[in-house]
Amino acid sequence: MPLINVEVGKLSREQKLELIARLSRTAAEITGIPLNAFMVVINELEDDNIGIGGRTIGELKAQAANNK
């Protein structure tokens, strides 16, 4: 059973459903493996658990909100 593992920030239920459907469908089309064989796992990461350039996503979002 092929596994697609995605690590991402917080998503809505609708975003997760769409991501699972599209990833599965695309992988099935490319590989020729049946769609129902694919398993998708979404690991949601908190903003303070992801860093870019020495700062957390939470900090970067706060800064961007203050700059609006």
Side-chain angles (χ1 to χ4, degrees):
M1 177 177 299
L3 170 66
I4 300 170
N5 191 8
V6 179
E7 296 202 21
V8 66
K10 289 293 182 183
L11 298 174
S12 69
R13 183 175 191 284
E14 293 76 23
Q15 288 173 313
K16 291 177 198 178
L17 292 172
E18 186 171 350
L19 186 60
I20 290 168
R22 286 191 190 192
L23 288 173
S24 299
R25 200 168 43 246
T26 300
E29 289 172 7
I30 292 170
T31 64
I33 297 170
L35 177 67
N36 62 357
F38 284 90
M39 180 170 57
V40 177
V41 176
I42 299 173
N43 297 307
E44 289 184 289
L45 304 171
E46 296 290 334
D47 285 348
D48 289 334
N49 293 340
I50 306 169
I52 299 173
R55 300 179 66 199
T56 68
I57 296 291
E59 291 173 315
L60 296 171
K61 284 182 177 178
Q63 180 184 3
N66 290 334
N67 289 337
K68 287 186 178 183

